[in-house]
Amino acid sequence: MKIIALEEHFADPAVAKAGGREAQALSPGFGEAFGPASGLPYSPSPEVLQDLAEKRLADMDAGGITMQVLSCLGAQTVPADVAPEVIAAANDKAAAAVRAHPDRFAAFASLPTAAPEAAVAELDRAVNDLGFVGTMIFGRTEGEFLDAPRFEPILAKAAALNVPVFLHPGVPPREITDSNYAAGLPLVTETRLQTAAWGWHQETAVHFLHLVHSGVLDRYPNLQFILGHWGEMIPFYLDRVNEALPQRATGLDRSFHEYFRGNVYIAPSGMWSQAQLRFCLETMPLERIVFAVDYPFIGNEGAVPFLEQADLPEADKRKIAHENAERLLGL
């Protein structure tokens, strides 16, 4: 079966270096908690993260992945004075991989969101000149959600280009970590709680809730978002949010239920749970479930077994595996 995976990352050393100070301030224990020496899940080596050729393609072949939509890590921590140049170079690197293997790779644009005008120009360049299929944004920029007024031109440009925004987890602000996840816990536990175990999923859910309730999808009713990790907790509280914040309270054009079912695609992101798949199929239209591995933090080997074990007709499996992504991304 053809499989298109949408949340497949690579690391660019220049981006990592430029954003390193902010990343370290947000999560001082990240290197210890996610370094290969930790022996913990989601800890690939730098060599695997940086490879955009032989090793990556071999892993894809071994795991049955037809195409990856590439995304560069870390753009949102890069400061404004260097972000445009550094992030454009990372996009050029992704574009070179796509040109070399157009049947195996597509790409989401990284954006220098700390410099919003440059981010708008880079999104336009990435889509119109490089052929990218959308953008991936990793959480807040300088503590602010995407609905902050200075980011409005980025949302407007994505809507005008008719490309989706993959809203990816980012590390919460330090004050949230200190109050919610630290408080005397060991550094590795704190770091994993603030990120992969809980914090950055909750953070992404709040980010999307904020976007909706600030009126973004009333201003751009056709703008599409992608949420990984089975919708970053929201499907499991969808009815609760919808009931607690009715339109008479929000003053919005639609109910939250309608925004989520009409403007969001969700992906498993390597969480190979049949129970979560069944629940999300009861919550979301089948046509709004796409596929993602979260490579290389998750290995490709679970992808095919997950689809094979799903209690679905083959036609529905094909929609999740590739047809929905092809329609959304124009692949």
Side-chain angles (χ1 to χ4, degrees):
M1 181 185 296
K2 184 178 181 181
I3 299 177
I4 300 176
L6 273 64
E7 189 178 346
E8 319 310 311
H9 304 301
F10 73 96
D12 179 82
V15 171
K17 181 179 179 180
R21 178 176 296 181
E22 173 67 13
Q24 178 70 15
L26 288 170
S27 187
F30 197 90
E32 179 181 350
F34 287 92
S38 73
L40 296 171
Y42 326 133
S43 301
S45 69
E47 293 75 21
V48 171
L49 272 166
Q50 292 171 27
D51 183 82
L52 288 172
E54 286 77 14
K55 171 62 176 172
R56 184 174 292 256
L57 290 166
D59 283 353
M60 291 167 64
D61 290 340
I65 304 299
T66 310
M67 175 179 279
Q68 288 186 347
V69 182
L70 302 170
S71 50
C72 182
L73 299 161
Q76 275 53 71
T77 61
V78 181
D81 59 336
V82 297
E85 180 179 357
V86 169
I87 291 169
N91 285 332
D92 288 343
K93 186 176 293 188
V98 174
R99 286 194 301 271
H101 303 281
D103 58 334
R104 308 304 304 275
F105 295 138
F108 287 125
S110 293
L111 297 181
T113 47
E117 290 185 7
V120 171
E122 184 61 14
L123 180 56
D124 188 81
R125 183 184 81 95
V127 173
N128 287 320
D129 296 347
L130 303 182
F132 286 16
V133 295
T135 181
M136 182 176 286
I137 294 178
F138 290 77
R140 307 190 199 209
T141 298
E142 298 173 334
E144 292 186 303
F145 291 132
L146 274 174
D147 58 85
R150 66 180 177 134
F151 303 129
E152 185 83 7
I154 298 173
L155 297 169
K157 176 59 71 173
L161 293 170
N162 194 31
V163 295
V165 176
F166 198 130
L167 196 63
H168 190 279
V171 178
R174 190 63 223 176
E175 58 269 25
I176 292 177
T177 293
D178 288 340
S179 61
N180 286 6
Y181 307 119
L185 293 174
L187 183 61
V188 169
T189 304
E190 168 197 319
T191 303
R192 290 231 151 202
L193 277 175
Q194 75 163 170
T195 55
W198 187 263
W200 64 26
H201 306 297
Q202 177 177 272
E203 174 79 5
T204 310
V206 172
H207 197 159
F208 183 75
L209 288 164
H210 218 273
L211 285 163
V212 170
H213 290 100
S214 67
V216 164
L217 292 175
D218 287 351
R219 297 193 294 277
Y220 309 105
N222 296 318
L223 181 59
Q224 300 295 311
F225 288 88
I226 307 169
L227 296 174
H229 309 100
W230 294 119
E232 305 294 0
M233 304 183 176
I234 295 175
F236 307 96
Y237 269 74
L238 180 58
D239 290 344
R240 179 71 166 185
V241 175
N242 199 63
E243 183 177 57
L245 281 169
Q247 284 177 267
R248 65 179 180 273
T250 66
L252 297 174
D253 293 346
R254 290 178 278 162
S255 68
F256 184 74
H257 192 272
E258 290 172 300
Y259 293 114
F260 199 75
R261 289 171 58 90
N263 294 86
V264 175
Y265 288 77
I266 66 173
S269 306
M271 296 172 62
W272 309 130
S273 167
Q274 297 297 330
Q276 288 178 307
L277 170 62
R278 289 192 297 270
F279 183 87
C280 288
L281 284 168
E282 292 184 5
T283 305
M284 299 285 291
L286 172 70
E287 289 73 18
R288 287 190 166 269
I289 298 179
V290 291
F291 201 78
V293 174
D294 204 0
Y295 179 90
F297 301 97
I298 302 291
N300 290 319
E301 63 276 2
V304 170
F306 173 75
L307 288 167
E308 289 177 341
Q309 293 162 17
D311 186 18
L312 293 171
E314 288 301 312
D316 290 353
K317 293 181 182 181
R318 288 195 297 272
K319 288 181 180 180
I320 294 171
H322 66 94
E323 290 176 358
N324 293 342
E326 289 167 336
R327 183 184 70 255
L328 171 64
L329 304 178
L331 294 172

